[in-house]
Amino acid sequence: MTHSTDSAALDGLELAEPHLGNVLSASGLDAEYVRAERNTLYLRDENGQEIPVLDFVGGFGSLILGHNHPEIVAYAKELLDAGTPVHAQFSRHPYANRAAAGLNRIVQRETGTDEPYYAVFANTGAEAVEAAVKHAEFDRFRKLSALREEIEAHGEAARAAVLAGEAAVADGRDIEDLLAEAARHNAGQLSRPPLFLTPEGSFHGKLVGSVQLTHNPAFRLPFQALAAQARFVPLDQPEQIAKIVEGERGVLLDPVVEGGSVTVAERAFPVFCAFVLEPVQGEGGINVVSEEFAREVQRVCAEIDCPVVVDEIQSGMGRTGAFLASSHTGLRGDYYTLAKSLGGGIAKTSVTLIRASRYCKDFELVHSSTFAKDAFSTLIAIKVLELLEADGGAAYRTVTERGERLREALEEVREEFPGVLKEVRGKGLMLGVEFHDQSGSASEIIAGVSQSGFLGYAVAGHLLRAHRLRLFPTGSAFNTLRLEPSLYLTDEEIGRLRTGLRGVCALLRDADGEALVQP
Ligand code: F0G
């Protein structure tokens, strides 16, 4: 087979994940956007006219300050005009330190701690999660190595004491048999891979390690052989956490000499590397973690000395009316991960914050990334923090107030169409509206899309075509539309959403499948 080198032929080909494009076009979602500001994306129609679309997807929750915030854009231009060195790896980095200090000030205020958090910057959300996971495993590995060495030294001491006639094995057994048996048992435990704990419905990324903490089996299972596994806990059954921990419990056998006799003590084997959770699940369909669940996470993790990684990649940066969504539930992280809005919709940046008392300084020697901690993105992050914190945190209050108005509008439509809309969930400007399953619809079209898991996409396609509203279901909760607009959401925009949602609910109620899917 020969390949054409004709570049004109190549220009006509769709080569950047074309199949995904086909899925979008089936729902009428394959619009090309040419401009963006605040909560509006503009597409160009066939006559070259710009058509405004009200965007509730918001870069999958990356735009708490909206598309192309004028102050951030101006600052980005200023940095580029000034020739700011974007790349100066392995040098002093006062900008990254300032970003870390800014993050610490806010996190300490919200969580009421004065312990600092060290910052490991990265580029994407999944990368920040993987840095947290790697750091937690680095820490577990160190502790395990120390424990193993201690047990080996105890074994040597026991052997020496018996040989010197200073001690005897308590039950009269041969010391070599006892040591061999303990070594065999310990080798079995030490060969166990680490485990993670995370709630069902979690989404922590799609890279090799993080995808194993993402609950959706379609994303996770094909790659299971590549990385350590998680045990998933139902969000409404916090009592399962202790049960899972008990089921996986392991011990190392530690020969100890005491009062002239050698006995075997049991030392807990730290099989759990970390508990990783979102305070408000995003991709899983907007599920708020209860205070009860958070308390149980904290209790069990303290008991087994397992670090808690609070993934605030989607829920953080003010999205729920506080900088950290976990502040509402009292959930405290040994680690926090942030991304999305940290880059103000312009830079691509993320960070893992690690509590000083858990921090392994040698991690800095074994983990790095070319693009991480660069001047451009960390300076933009500082600007974002300034905007959120301005006027005594006016932005957080605005998110709370706008979120309440948006929620009221959604509830209003739900009350009007109780057979179509099942539930409104979330906090601040991180809301989800769940549709009832429509598999039993009198319309074959509606029943069909519902049965194949495409109801959310069909609804989204209709909202875009008929109402110029952009909303998506999540990849793991097909019947839930996710709303994550910026804090600049106006009453007029909420009104447009209410109208569009009413329209589509009426079509579903009236089983008008033709109108739902008509182009
Ligand atoms: N953690 C959370 C809580 C997320 O919501 C996401 C991404 C990630 C990690 C991974 O970040 O994509 O930058 O690597 N969430 C998007 C979503 C994709 O649809 O909710 P990433």
Side-chain angles (χ1 to χ4, degrees):
M1 186 181 149
T2 56
H3 292 275
S4 166
T5 50
D6 178 350
S7 69
L10 275 181
D11 283 348
L13 283 179
E14 289 263 353
L15 294 173
E17 301 185 298
H19 305 292
L20 201 54
N22 292 341
V23 172
L24 292 178
S25 78
S27 311
L29 292 168
D30 62 338
E32 181 185 342
Y33 295 100
V34 293
R35 200 163 66 82
E37 59 185 358
R38 293 217 165 183
N39 288 312
T40 305
L41 276 163
Y42 295 86
L43 56 81
R44 209 186 295 284
D45 70 6
E46 47 292 354
N47 307 318
Q49 286 294 316
E50 273 193 358
I51 309 278
V53 172
L54 178 53
D55 182 20
F56 283 91
V57 177
F60 294 140
S62 300
L63 302 170
I64 193 65
L65 296 171
H67 288 280
N68 293 321
H69 188 286
E71 278 186 59
I72 300 174
V73 170
Y75 186 53
K77 285 182 184 164
E78 198 183 298
L79 292 174
L80 296 177
D81 286 344
T84 307
V86 176
H87 291 291
Q89 292 93 341
F90 250 56
S91 60
R92 282 172 53 79
H93 41 255
Y95 33 85
N97 280 329
R98 269 171 49 215
L103 288 163
N104 263 279
R105 247 191 308 280
I106 304 172
V107 170
Q108 291 189 351
R109 180 189 72 220
E110 279 201 1
T111 62
T113 178
D114 52 11
E115 187 179 351
Y117 282 76
Y118 289 103
V120 178
F121 285 93
N123 307 282
T124 66
E127 226 190 302
V129 169
E130 299 230 350
V133 159
K134 270 185 74 183
H135 185 281
E137 181 57 6
F138 195 64
D139 196 17
R140 194 188 75 101
F141 179 81
R142 267 189 351 164
K143 285 181 184 146
L144 211 46
S145 302
L147 186 56
R148 199 180 51 211
E149 279 169 24
E150 195 185 318
I151 289 174
E152 278 166 11
H154 286 169
E156 287 307 319
R159 178 182 281 125
V162 170
L163 283 178
E166 291 162 7
V169 179
D171 60 7
R173 259 193 314 163
D174 187 86
I175 181 71
E176 292 307 327
D177 288 350
L178 179 144
L179 292 179
E181 195 185 304
R184 237 186 346 265
H185 169 92
N186 291 350
Q189 286 293 309
L190 291 163
S191 67
R192 289 172 71 189
L195 287 171
F196 292 90
L197 285 159
T198 190
E200 288 181 359
S202 284
F203 188 96
H204 297 292
K206 285 182 174 167
L207 295 185
V208 167
S210 48
V211 79
Q212 291 310 317
L213 310 175
T214 288
H215 186 225
N216 187 333
F219 299 152
R220 173 171 49 89
L221 289 182
F223 310 103
Q224 213 169 15
L226 289 177
Q229 307 293 295
R231 296 283 178 264
F232 294 94
V233 190
L235 264 185
D236 58 352
Q237 295 173 40
E239 70 282 1
Q240 288 295 328
I241 302 171
K243 288 191 184 142
I244 293 171
V245 166
E246 183 52 33
E248 299 291 348
R249 203 175 88 91
V251 292
L252 294 178
L253 300 179
D254 185 13
V256 286
V257 184
E258 219 173 54
S261 91
V262 180
T263 53
V264 175
E266 289 188 349
R267 308 283 297 271
F269 173 70
V271 71
F272 288 100
C273 183
F275 199 126
V276 188
L277 77 163
E278 300 152 87
V280 181
Q281 292 183 339
E283 207 271 351
I286 311 293
N287 304 304
V288 182
V289 168
S290 68
E291 282 180 28
E292 191 196 356
F293 192 91
R295 254 198 317 276
E296 189 60 1
V297 169
Q298 222 93 65
R299 188 189 71 77
V300 176
C301 287
E303 211 169 273
I304 62 170
D305 190 29
C306 172
V308 177
V309 179
V310 179
D311 182 347
E312 294 266 10
I313 285 168
Q314 192 162 154
S315 58
M317 303 298 303
R319 170 70 48 202
T320 67
F323 185 77
L324 299 171
S326 50
S327 350
H328 301 297
T329 37
L331 180 65
R332 295 287 175 264
D334 296 298
Y335 300 53
Y336 292 98
T337 52
L338 293 161
K340 296 200 190 252
S341 290
L342 181 64
I346 300 286
K348 293 172 183 167
T349 187
S350 63
V351 70
T352 308
L353 298 174
I354 304 167
R355 186 194 286 283
S357 55
R358 289 243 178 219
Y359 190 63
C360 306
K361 65 181 185 341
D362 289 350
F363 186 67
E364 294 169 19
L365 306 175
V366 298
H367 184 82
S368 61
S369 163
T370 302
F371 292 134
K373 210 171 65 177
D374 66 286
F376 181 77
S377 55
T378 48
L379 286 166
I380 296 279
I382 294 168
K383 185 77 184 167
V384 171
L385 298 182
E386 282 169 9
L387 289 168
L388 289 177
E389 292 278 303
D391 302 327
Y396 310 120
R397 294 192 292 278
T398 303
V399 169
T400 304
E401 191 274 333
R402 292 287 83 196
E404 277 163 14
R405 295 293 86 74
L406 180 59
R407 195 187 182 112
E408 279 163 16
L410 295 171
E411 286 289 4
E412 214 177 280
V413 184
R414 191 186 64 82
E415 276 161 29
E416 200 179 327
F417 297 93
V420 177
L421 294 186
K422 188 173 168 186
E423 197 184 13
V424 177
R425 295 188 292 268
K427 186 127 191 94
L429 287 172
M430 185 170 181
L431 297 174
V433 51
E434 184 176 352
F435 285 72
H436 282 292
D437 178 61
Q438 303 289 325
S439 302
S441 171
S443 151
E444 255 179 56
I445 295 173
I446 294 173
V449 289
S450 194
Q451 282 156 16
S452 53
F454 282 98
L455 178 69
Y457 288 99
V459 167
H462 177 81
L463 289 173
L464 178 59
R465 282 189 305 274
H467 299 279
R468 298 303 182 201
L469 293 168
R470 185 170 136 93
L471 288 86
F472 283 168
T474 67
S476 301
F478 303 138
N479 290 348
T480 301
L481 294 179
R482 185 167 34 162
L483 295 91
E484 293 180 302
S486 85
L487 58 83
Y488 301 110
L489 186 71
T490 64
D491 287 342
E492 187 266 335
E493 289 170 336
I494 294 175
R496 277 168 61 195
L497 174 79
R498 193 195 289 112
T499 305
L501 202 54
R502 263 198 194 120
V504 82
C505 285
L507 294 184
L508 293 174
R509 180 197 57 199
D510 302 342
D512 191 347
E514 300 283 340
L516 182 72
V517 299
Q518 96 191 162

